[in-house]
Structures are given as structure tokens and as C-alpha cells.
Amino acid sequence: MMKKVFAAILSIALIAGVSACGEKKAEGPDYADDEAMSIIAEGFSKRSSLIDKLKGQGKDTSESKNLQQIIQAEIDNDKPLKARQFKDSKLQEQIIAYLNSLDDQLAVVKKYSSTSAEYTTAWSEAYDKRSTILKTFVDKYGLKVDSKYQDTLDDLVRNGNSVQEKNETDQVINNLVSSAQFDKTEAEYGGYYTYSAVIENTSKINFSSVSLLLALYDADGVKVEETFANTSSWAAGEKVRFEAGTDVTAAEVKVSVSNYDVGK
């Protein structure tokens, strides 16, 4: 009797053991964080390698057909990342933005003639966007490429740095003028008005050749004229009176930065 009981217990234990062995451990998401930069580097190298190949064949890499092929090589390599999951949401945002910048470049090449002004503007925007994100990949995520393409990456990162600095400076000067209130003064002889505002440069940046665009609106909210208020220099910590004259009497003045340079 004891033998039968023992055999039954052993049988149950064996069955439970086999059942446990047959169970698979649940696997987590296949995150792309660890391999994302190697995939981006591979796409960068494929693009750069194709440029070298086409140049070796004596082909103009700026020609629309060839440039489309060049951009497409990088897109084809990187696009699987769009469907991948990431632990780092910020990295995922940058990856998606980078893939979009490649799509933007391809769209520009397909849409515009390379000799048109529209092409120059749109291509510069897409180029700046791509180079800025590549700078982020290098600085924050350790992107490294094949040594023979390092100079190309360095040039793009330098451009990305310039774009980033320009964007930051744009933000500074826009903040300085956004709340400026332009007062209207009528000339003694009548019919002529001066719009002026004293604005302090509270930043640490020395500006030069600053031009502010004043949009003048009537009482019905209709823009009736645009004029400019300028200064040749605006040093850090300095207060400058910006003013413009016109024969238009405005109910509202909206100000924006038209142009500026950074001084020494």
C-alpha cells in the first residue's frame, strides 16, 4: 500500500515538473534604446558610402535623382526604428524627429528644382533640423560613426551648434521686445506721428544693427502699415530708444524682430 502511495506522489511530482519546464518566461518589450545609435550610425555610413560611390562614378551627388537615392538609403536603414519601443521617451522623440527630417529632405528634393529659391530655403531648414538632432545624438547619446565619415559628422554637428546658438539668441531678443509698449506722439504741425519705446537689453548679449518691425493697426483691427524702428548697436545692459515716424495714426502697435546681428 505504501508503495502505491509513494508511486502516486512521485507521478504527480513528475507531471508538475514537466508542466513547469514547459512554461515559458514572459518576455518584456524589445526596447531599441541600446541599439538605436548603432542603427543611426549605420544609416549615416550607408548614406556617406553611397555619396562616395556616386562621386567615384563621376556623378553629381546634388542632382535630384542621385540625391533622392542618397537620402533614401539612410531612410531605408533607419525607418524600422519608427515602429520600435523605447524606455527613454526623449530618445524616442529625437529618433522620430530625425526620421522626419530625412523625410523632409526627400520631399524638398522631389518638390523643388535645385536652382529655385524655394529649394534653397526648404533645404536649409531640413539640413539644419537634421544637423541639430545629430548634435543631440552625439552629445547626449554617444553617437559614433566610422572614422572615414567622422569629418562629415563633425561638419554637421558644427552646423547644429550654430543653429542651436542662433535659436537661443532669437529667443533672447524676441523676449526683450515682445512686451515693449510703443507710445504715439503727434507732431506740433499735425498729421505726423512718432512711435517710440525705450527697451533695456537685460541679456548678456551685445546686439548690433537691430531692426524692429512695427505693425500698425486701426481701431477695427486692420493692419494699415508696417514701419521699422532701428538702432546700430544695443549693448548688454543698455537702454535704447526705438522709434519710427509715419503719417498713420494707429490704435494698436505690434512689434517683432525683423533683423539683428550679434556684436562683440
Side-chain angles (χ1 to χ4, degrees), residues 133-147:
I133 300 171
L134 282 171
K135 170 180 163 51
T136 300
F137 286 161
V138 170
D139 292 347
K140 292 189 176 181
Y141 301 103
L143 173 66
K144 294 181 180 179
V145 299
D146 191 294
S147 58

Side-chain angles (χ1 to χ4, degrees), residues 19-20 33 62 67 80 89 102 127 136 145 158 167 182 184-186 190 195 199 214 233 237 240 249-250:
S19 176
D33 299 58
S62 64
L67 191 50
S89 61
L102 299 179
Y127 180 87
T136 300
V145 299
R158 275 192 290 271
N167 289 340
F182 277 77
K184 178 175 64 178
T185 305
E186 186 175 6
Y195 297 87
I199 311 174
L214 307 186
S233 65
V240 167
T249 178

Side-chain angles (χ1 to χ4, degrees), residues 6-250:
F6 179 77
I9 293 171
L10 181 60
S11 176
I12 292 170
L14 288 172
I15 291 171
V18 170
S19 176
C21 289
E23 290 179 2
K24 290 186 178 179
K25 250 187 177 179
E27 294 182 1
D30 181 21
Y31 291 119
D33 299 58
D34 292 341
E35 54 186 312
M37 287 303 102
S38 63
I39 293 172
I40 294 295
E42 183 181 16
F44 189 94
S45 294
K46 284 183 178 179
R47 177 173 180 157
S48 302
S49 176
L50 183 55
I51 291 173
D52 290 344
K53 179 181 177 181
L54 292 173
K55 284 182 177 178
Q57 295 172 352
K59 295 182 179 179
D60 181 3
T61 55
S62 64
E63 184 182 332
S64 178
K65 178 181 67 175
N66 295 329
L67 191 50
Q68 287 183 45
Q69 184 182 354
I70 289 166
I71 299 167
Q72 192 66 55
E74 187 173 15
I75 290 175
D76 290 342
N77 183 86
D78 296 355
K79 65 183 178 183
L81 284 171
K82 189 169 282 189
R84 297 288 299 277
Q85 289 182 284
F86 290 79
K87 286 184 179 179
D88 184 345
S89 61
K90 294 295 184 183
L91 172 58
Q92 185 173 23
E93 288 175 9
Q94 291 295 324
I95 292 291
I96 298 301
Y98 186 72
L99 297 176
N100 289 340
S101 76
L102 299 179
D103 290 339
D104 290 345
Q105 286 191 325
L106 188 59
V108 170
V109 176
K110 288 181 176 181
K111 184 175 182 179
Y112 301 111
S113 165
S114 61
T115 58
S116 69
E118 292 87 353
Y119 175 90
T120 300
T121 300
W123 178 260
S124 293
E125 289 177 357
Y127 180 87
D128 287 348
K129 181 180 177 182
R130 177 176 179 246
S131 61
T132 301
I133 300 171
L134 282 171
K135 170 180 163 51
T136 300
F137 286 161
V138 170
D139 292 347
K140 292 189 176 181
Y141 301 103
L143 173 66
K144 294 181 180 179
V145 299
D146 191 294
S147 58
K148 60 183 174 181
Y149 304 127
Q150 187 62 49
D151 287 346
T152 302
L153 179 60
D154 288 344
D155 286 342
L156 285 161
V157 169
R158 275 192 290 271
N159 182 72
N161 188 61
S162 297
V163 172
Q164 190 176 72
E165 289 179 353
K166 175 67 164 54
N167 289 340
E168 290 172 355
T169 306
D170 284 350
Q171 186 64 50
V172 168
I173 194 168
N174 285 329
N175 288 342
L176 289 175
V177 306
S178 62
S179 59
Q181 297 295 320
F182 277 77
D183 297 322
K184 178 175 64 178
T185 305
E186 186 175 6
E188 291 183 5
Y189 50 83
Y192 191 80
Y193 306 90
T194 299
Y195 297 87
S196 65
V198 175
I199 311 174
E200 182 178 2
N201 180 359
T202 56
S203 76
K204 297 180 180 180
I205 303 172
N206 296 319
F207 295 103
S208 63
S209 302
V210 179
S211 179
L212 304 184
L213 175 65
L214 307 186
L216 309 180
Y217 292 78
D218 65 17
D220 295 322
V222 177
K223 182 166 64 177
V224 292
E225 185 176 312
E226 291 181 336
T227 187
F228 295 91
N230 308 308
T231 185
S232 59
S233 65
W234 193 16
E238 184 178 41
K239 292 180 179 179
V240 167
R241 182 180 297 278
F242 290 89
E243 62 180 33
T246 176
D247 59 0
V248 172
T249 178

